[in-house]
Amino acid sequence: MLGGTRFVGRHIVEECLRRGDDVTVLYRGRSPSPFAGISRHVLTDRRAPTIEAAAVLAEPWDAVIDTSARDVDDLRPVLPLLDGIGRYLFVSSCGVYRRTLGRHGLTERAPTIAADVSHPVRASATRKLRCERYLRRRLNRTDVPLLTARLGLVIGRYDDSERLAYWLERALRGGDVLVPMDDRQAIQLIDALDVARFLRDAIDRRRTGVVNVAGARTTAQTLVDTVLTSAGRAVAPCRVGEEFALAHRLQPWTEIPLWLPASSPELALMSVDNSRATDAGLTLRPLADSITDALGWQALRRSWSQRWLDHAREQDLIKRWRG
Ligand SMILES: NC(=O)c1ccc[n+]([C@@H]2O[C@H](COP(=O)([O-])OP(=O)(O)OC[C@H]3O[C@@H](n4cnc5c(N)ncnc54)[C@H](OP(=O)(O)O)[C@@H]3O)[C@@H](O)[C@H]2O)c1
């Protein structure tokens, strides 16, 4: 396992361990591993593997699962050291697809983004796409089967991103909650448990190629209502609408996560076709179950990002909206 100690990778390692796999985790050790005493650990920066790490990488591996490569510079030092691996599973992102306003149902054959490492949003996707291409070229030469899993937005325990956390935290605080999204805004989230189960199965089933691992498509209304209800606090959603929210200079996605106005091309990423994965056995937990787990995790972290809508401003805006 190249990575594996934070969020998605951690779920994958847990799934492998549940199945009795012998797992080795290679990571830098910036945060403590939850698998100490359970798995073998190799502490190294993959960009400059230690001699010990190089020796471990050269062992015969049934499968290599890579959640930590974000750039080709993460792959160049590692690939030549791998010797006799059974297969390679690269965890990529649906962010590699080109966003086109009004485009629905992005399949694995949809056009990918034009390379742009200077763009704040596209840079990481550009690097991920370069990783995909590098791996395809390198592993083709040695006949190592490669599965590239393009993940949609993932939620669940251990999620330390600032996306769903805003809504979880807001629900846990209770009171009047400002909701800027259009009720029908598309939302597509996948539970990390579903991702982990599918990817582990994909190894046994010898899947190759590219597959979108994305959740069921739902609406912002369903998501917000599910979060607010599941938190069990006294809350009142105030659906101010996006015209009001934009007129008051609220920032979609950064200030209010998961909000994408109707004019945003990013909405294309909330409409990913996951049929290749579901045909191959991907099953999806009910949204309410995923939200309950995520709320349990958030209740332990209780974090509030500086970038998010300030509580006093939120209440002031709600007062104005009520007129
Ligand atoms: N979350 C989402 O919604 C989402 C959506 C689409 C795609 N993805 C993809 O999912 C993948 C998994 O992300 P995750 O953070 O949850 O995975 P993770 O495997 O749980 O955590 C990242 C791991 O990589 C290790 N790492 C990072 N840089 C390293 C380096 N230079 N050398 C060695 N180890 C290194 C980290 O440990 P140390 O820091 O201790 O080294 C950590 O163990 C990512 O590739 C991401 O692009 C996620």
Side-chain angles (χ1 to χ4, degrees):
M1 182 80 199
L2 302 177
T5 58
R6 290 196 195 153
F7 173 37
V8 180
R10 182 168 169 182
H11 280 276
I12 297 172
V13 174
E14 285 184 356
E15 181 63 26
C16 292
L17 292 172
R18 233 188 322 269
R19 297 188 191 199
D21 296 340
D22 194 359
V23 182
T24 294
V25 178
L26 184 147
Y27 72 123
R28 288 168 302 185
R30 296 216 167 160
S31 46
S33 166
F35 306 110
I38 308 170
S39 293
R40 181 178 173 201
H41 287 71
V42 179
L43 279 178
T44 194
D45 187 332
R46 60 182 294 164
R47 293 189 171 202
T50 59
I51 293 170
E52 293 78 15
V56 172
L57 287 164
E59 291 174 15
W61 298 101
D62 294 330
V64 172
I65 305 175
D66 187 348
T67 50
S68 60
R70 291 190 151 76
D71 199 350
V72 175
D73 289 342
D74 292 317
L75 295 169
R76 277 199 194 102
V78 168
L79 268 278
L81 299 173
L82 296 171
D83 190 15
I85 61 170
R87 50 209 317 106
Y88 201 104
L89 196 169
F90 177 56
V91 175
S92 186
S93 164
C94 288
V96 301
Y97 291 119
R98 194 178 302 164
R99 289 80 157 145
T100 309
L101 193 60
R103 174 127 199 190
H104 299 291
L106 294 171
T107 68
E108 289 79 359
R109 293 222 280 245
T112 49
I113 49 166
D116 186 354
V117 283
S118 61
H119 190 283
V121 179
R122 311 280 148 81
S124 60
T126 298
R127 294 193 184 100
K128 232 25 189 175
L129 195 55
R130 285 182 181 164
C131 286
E132 288 189 11
R133 290 174 180 158
Y134 180 85
L135 280 166
R136 216 172 301 144
R137 274 198 312 273
R138 286 290 307 219
L139 297 176
N140 251 348
R141 274 187 231 153
T142 47
D143 282 337
V144 173
L146 168 67
L147 176 64
T148 299
R150 292 179 176 157
L151 308 193
L153 282 188
V154 187
I155 61 170
R157 264 180 301 133
Y158 322 138
D159 179 8
D160 57 4
S161 73
E162 292 184 3
R163 289 183 300 242
L164 185 64
Y166 173 88
W167 293 100
L168 301 172
E169 189 59 33
R170 202 50 211 84
L172 290 169
R173 285 186 177 193
D176 292 336
V177 181
L178 184 142
V179 182
M181 294 105 130
D182 184 306
D183 282 349
R184 289 154 303 157
Q185 184 206 304
I187 288 279
Q188 194 171 21
L189 306 169
I190 185 161
D191 194 310
L193 290 172
D194 296 330
V195 174
R197 205 175 330 106
F198 176 73
L199 294 185
R200 180 57 191 79
D201 283 342
I203 291 174
D204 283 349
R205 294 177 186 176
R206 302 174 180 278
R207 304 274 180 216
T208 56
V210 179
V211 64
N212 292 337
V213 187
R217 281 175 264 182
T218 184
T219 63
Q221 181 177 27
T222 302
L223 174 72
V224 171
D225 286 352
T226 307
V227 173
L228 297 185
T229 319
S230 307
R233 305 285 195 279
V235 281
C238 302
R239 301 186 193 279
V240 302
E242 70 180 42
E243 209 178 303
F244 175 92
L246 290 170
H248 289 82
R249 295 205 172 82
L250 287 174
Q251 299 297 318
W253 201 261
T254 46
E255 196 174 14
I256 306 199
L258 298 181
W259 169 31
L260 291 171
S263 58
S264 171
E266 298 293 316
L267 279 169
L269 298 186
M270 296 291 178
S271 182
V272 172
D273 185 329
N274 63 3
S275 52
R276 183 159 190 243
T278 52
D279 290 350
L282 172 69
T283 54
L284 300 168
R285 302 176 80 204
L287 181 65
D289 292 0
S290 304
I291 296 298
T292 302
D293 275 3
L295 274 164
W297 166 245
Q298 186 63 27
L300 298 174
R301 336 168 38 219
R302 297 309 305 253
S303 61
W304 188 261
S305 165
Q306 291 301 313
R307 299 201 300 175
W308 292 345
L309 174 61
D310 171 76
H311 192 62
R313 179 148 183 257
E314 180 194 37
Q315 297 308 305
D316 180 56
L317 285 171
I318 289 173
K319 226 181 269 167
R320 286 188 205 198
W321 173 69
R322 286 186 173 139

